[in-house]
Amino acid sequence: EVQLVESGGGLVQPGGSLRLSCAASGFTVSNSYMSWVRQAPGSGLEWVSVIYSGGNTHYADSVKGRFTISRDNSKNTVFLQMNSLRAEDTAVYYCAKATVAVSPFDYWGQGTLVTVSS
Amino acid sequence: EIVLTQSPATLSLSPGERATLSCRASQTVSSFLAWYQQKPGQAPRLLIYDASNRATGVPARFSGSGSGTDFTLTISSLEPEDFAVYYCQQRSNWPPTWTFGQGTKVEIK
């Protein structure tokens, strides 16, 4: 059974950093296309970043230069390092799996809440 | 950047009624057009991919159609568990980015 479990969210001050984790089971992250998608309170979905099976990474303009996606194949886990956090980064962050680059997000984690506030 | 506009923002219907949700793209998109359902406090769930293919386990009352810039999600007869927010999604080839519509809330009338 495919499962994605996010962790690492919490309260952080503006300008601070946080690292989110997405532990996967039931499939291999290095063979998949793993994305982070966020949802601000009361708002819609916003794609944040992707890491391809080959290791290529891409980012939304809103986070480029501040966020870094990576993975640890030995732990079957994907990470999102978030630096220079802003109030507008406050959201529930979901990790999501796609089989190939042009396939939809067929599995999602339950999300982890990041709150950026002083 | 392709923008997806969903309408209406809110759809007030009764169980058993037919729901028709629209997703319009600002320019022609590829066949990659997906629909997701999200209930309060839950992660999104994939319903439709490639505009008209139902995901595994999705009931037959859900159907997708459209091409080019205009896409539709139809729920033929609403069940109580279908009242939720629905999002459409598209993928741009380069740079690789994914965009969601702003969502349509289907609420009980």
Side-chain angles (χ1 to χ4, degrees):
Chain A
E1 179 191 6
V2 171
Q3 276 198 320
L4 297 167
V5 179
E6 301 95 335
S7 61
L11 175 63
V12 61
Q13 293 187 338
S17 298
L18 213 54
R19 188 174 86 151
L20 305 183
S21 300
C22 172
S25 59
F27 72 101
T28 304
V29 296
S30 59
N31 292 338
S32 302
Y33 292 70
M34 300 298 297
S35 279
W36 287 94
V37 176
R38 67 184 180 184
Q39 186 169 37
S43 297
L45 302 169
E46 179 189 16
W47 172 79
V48 172
S49 181
V50 65
I51 183 166
Y52 282 4
S53 58
N56 288 349
T57 59
H58 300 280
Y59 301 90
D61 287 343
S62 58
V63 306
K64 202 171 292 183
R66 300 188 299 124
F67 289 13
T68 302
I69 190 171
S70 63
R71 70 184 181 215
D72 183 331
N73 295 341
S74 67
K75 295 180 179 179
N76 210 32
T77 298
V78 178
F79 304 98
L80 186 68
Q81 177 67 43
M82 305 186 295
N83 299 330
S84 304
L85 283 162
R86 307 166 180 167
E88 54 264 36
D89 295 319
T90 294
V92 173
Y93 284 73
Y94 297 100
C95 66
K97 167 193 168 294
T99 303
V100 295
V102 293
S103 62
F105 301 166
D106 50 3
Y107 290 94
W108 297 65
Q110 84 289 350
T112 187
L113 175 63
V114 172
T115 303
V116 184
S117 175
S118 55
Chain B
E1 177 189 343
I2 297 177
V3 176
L4 297 178
T5 302
Q6 292 187 240
S7 62
T10 303
L11 200 50
S12 298
L13 296 169
S14 300
E17 290 193 293
R18 182 184 188 90
T20 303
L21 288 67
S22 173
C23 176
R24 178 164 290 178
S26 57
Q27 56 186 280
T28 299
V29 302
S30 66
S31 61
F32 181 105
L33 193 288
W35 290 93
Y36 298 86
Q37 176 194 66
Q38 188 179 33
K39 297 179 181 179
Q42 297 185 15
R45 169 198 177 196
L46 175 66
L47 294 178
I48 301 288
Y49 65 95
D50 290 348
S52 60
N53 296 302
R54 274 190 301 276
T56 302
V58 174
R61 63 181 180 272
F62 291 92
S63 63
S65 62
S67 64
T69 60
D70 290 303
F71 299 86
T72 299
L73 174 70
T74 301
I75 310 171
S76 59
S77 178
L78 283 163
E79 296 288 339
E81 61 268 28
D82 299 337
F83 292 93
V85 180
Y86 294 84
Y87 296 94
C88 58
Q89 177 201 34
Q90 69 87 31
R91 176 188 181 273
S92 300
N93 285 329
W94 191 261
T97 56
W98 286 257
T99 306
F100 293 90
Q102 82 280 16
T104 290
K105 181 180 182 180
V106 178
E107 65 176 22
I108 300 176
K109 186 175 181 180

